[in-house]
Amino acid sequence: MVQHVLVAPDKFKGSLTAAEVARRVSAGLGVPTVELPVADGGDGTVDAAVACGFDRVTIEVTGPTGERIPASYAWQPAAGTAVVELAEASGLRRLPGDHEPLTATSYGTGELVADAVRRGAKRVVLGLGGSACTDGGAGMAQALGARLLDAEGNELPRGGAALKALDHIDMSGFVDISGVEFVVASDVDNPLLGSHGAAAVYGPQKGATPEDVRTLESALSRLAAVATQTHGLLGAVEHDDRPRPMGVAGAPGAGAAGGVGFAALAFLHADLRPGIDYLLGLLGFDALAVDARLVITGEGSLDEQSLRGKAPIGVAQAAARAGVPVVAVCGRRTLADAELKAAGIEAAYALTDLEPDPERCMAEAGPLLERLAARIATDRLGGNR
């Protein structure tokens, strides 16, 4: 059997999708390859699933500031599996203008989930990352039929700040999710509240001022308190016997995507898994690595953030279990050789090695990647092309 090179990169953000990176690397190698675009649950997760054989389902949903937009999720009919990417409906890239930290909503993500459930999904994988909202997943819950009410019985407007007035939650109209498994794929382990929580850590990235952060922290705290008191959520996700002294709000990952992780745990009873590890399993990485002679992974920037559960490190760990060497391609890198080797990556090839101008690297990423791949073939494949 002719051994192949497994090309499993993430996207080069702002330049190439993961599928485009894989295609360019394959073209430059000149050897048999298998292309497996990957993602870690954030931007590009749906695209990666579609590139690996899932169908794309596109519907109209509510964007983060209320406008109607087209958004997609990935669908595998045979298995009844849907891959929903929060960034598709509720991401920063969906903002029509300025950030709206107090009023941005995850409602559109709930509409994607609801459509997948109505389609007959047996498993919904929810990729969290790149969100524009800090609403604790309240919008997602509203789209699924939850009514968030104030003391007078009026429905709250969408957005995180409005949750300060939350008095009770009516779940009588919630969509029937019996028989549906929900999995949150995320590399974020922040809790919902506190100095490491959704508002404090991620709010400023979404345009929140210090005063906005205090408002959102108070609002999310109210959501957690009401949900816990009225729905017994302290025990709702403790079926796996992991200690969670602060209940769902304190669970690792509850703060993901502005607190959408909290709503997924609390209202969907989701299991939270490391994003890249779970998605590699879903996309069949292990089987494709069996006969590989080399794995090539990568992303736009190999830096300190990469070491915190990003796609290339997950790919390297999975390849190590299969006994296959790994190299990476990237736009730029700030990690030293020793750091890369400790993470399981033998070498990294950066576009900036060929072109020092970052703007040209972005504009000419495709051709430069092909040149890098040719260099990898010479260095790593023994000239056996």
Side-chain angles (χ1 to χ4, degrees), residues 12 15-16 20-21 23-25 27-28 351 360-373:
F12 280 29
S15 184
L16 299 172
E20 290 168 339
V21 174
R23 189 159 53 248
R24 290 289 192 163
V25 170
L351 300 187
R360 289 191 65 182
C361 281
M362 293 281 286
E364 302 173 19
L368 289 171
L369 264 176
E370 292 190 25
R371 288 173 56 190
L372 279 185

Side-chain angles (χ1 to χ4, degrees), residues 58 181 213 367 373:
T58 302
E181 174 193 7
V213 168

Side-chain angles (χ1 to χ4, degrees), residues 300-320:
S301 180
L302 275 177
D303 52 32
E304 288 294 329
Q305 288 295 318
S306 303
L307 299 177
R308 299 176 183 174
K310 295 295 186 181
I313 305 306
V315 169
Q317 292 171 345

Side-chain angles (χ1 to χ4, degrees), residues 29-385:
L29 285 173
V31 301
T33 63
V34 173
E35 297 174 17
L36 187 76
V38 301
D40 59 12
D43 289 345
T45 296
V46 166
D47 287 342
V50 169
C52 293
F54 282 64
D55 297 333
R56 185 186 297 275
V57 176
T58 302
I59 63 172
E60 189 176 83
V61 302
T62 303
T65 55
E67 67 288 346
R68 298 297 287 175
I69 59 171
S72 302
Y73 63 91
W75 173 241
Q76 191 179 60
T81 297
V83 178
V84 175
E85 175 189 323
L86 176 137
E88 264 288 302
S90 312
L92 286 167
R93 62 186 173 88
R94 290 299 198 178
L95 288 170
D98 294 338
H99 293 175
E100 298 288 349
L102 299 179
T103 58
T105 178
S106 58
Y107 195 92
T109 298
E111 290 175 301
L112 290 175
V113 172
D115 191 81
V117 171
R118 286 192 295 267
R119 192 175 291 270
K122 298 176 183 175
R123 178 195 299 143
V124 176
V125 181
L126 185 58
L128 300 185
S131 75
C133 53
T134 308
D135 71 345
M140 181 179 74
Q142 288 172 310
L144 290 166
R147 298 180 68 221
L148 278 60
L149 308 171
D150 64 18
E152 284 72 46
N154 302 310
E155 290 209 39
L156 298 183
R158 296 169 194 167
L163 296 170
K164 289 183 70 174
L166 181 63
D167 182 75
H168 59 286
I169 302 171
D170 178 2
M171 296 287 285
S172 61
F174 202 74
V175 66
D176 182 8
I177 58 171
S178 58
V180 184
E181 174 193 7
F182 289 90
V183 176
V184 170
S186 173
D187 61 0
V188 170
D189 61 3
N190 302 70
L192 180 66
L193 305 171
S195 60
H196 298 289
V201 175
Y202 300 110
Q205 299 174 13
K206 303 167 190 180
T209 66
E211 182 179 351
D212 292 338
V213 168
R214 289 189 289 272
T215 295
L216 291 167
E217 177 74 10
S218 176
L220 294 177
S221 179
R222 183 62 184 165
L223 172 65
V226 172
T228 299
Q229 291 168 5
T230 60
H231 297 288
L233 296 180
L234 281 172
V237 295
E238 293 179 357
H239 53 81
D240 52 10
D241 296 324
R242 286 178 289 177
R244 291 185 177 141
M246 294 175 62
V248 175
V260 173
F262 169 80
L265 292 169
F267 300 115
L268 302 178
H269 300 176
D271 287 323
L272 194 137
R273 312 278 181 84
I276 183 59
D277 292 346
Y278 184 81
L279 288 162
L280 286 177
L282 190 68
L283 301 177
F285 179 91
D286 287 352
L288 296 174
V290 169
D291 295 314
R293 59 198 287 204
L294 179 70
V295 171
I296 300 177
T297 187
E299 64 179 345
S301 180
L302 275 177
D303 52 32
E304 288 294 329
Q305 288 295 318
S306 303
L307 299 177
R308 299 176 183 174
K310 295 295 186 181
I313 305 306
V315 169
Q317 292 171 345
R321 292 192 292 270
V324 184
V326 179
V327 298
V329 293
C330 58
R332 69 180 187 100
R333 71 152 171 158
T334 60
L335 296 176
D337 290 345
E339 292 174 297
L340 290 169
K341 285 185 167 59
I345 297 173
E346 293 188 356
Y349 295 74
L351 300 187
T352 52
D353 296 339
L354 302 175
E355 173 51 67
D357 182 352
E359 290 188 9
R360 289 191 65 182
C361 281
M362 293 281 286
E364 302 173 19
L368 289 171
L369 264 176
E370 292 190 25
R371 288 173 56 190
L372 279 185
R375 182 177 291 184
I376 292 171
T378 299
D379 292 350
R380 300 283 160 175
L381 302 177
N384 227 357
R385 299 180 61 191

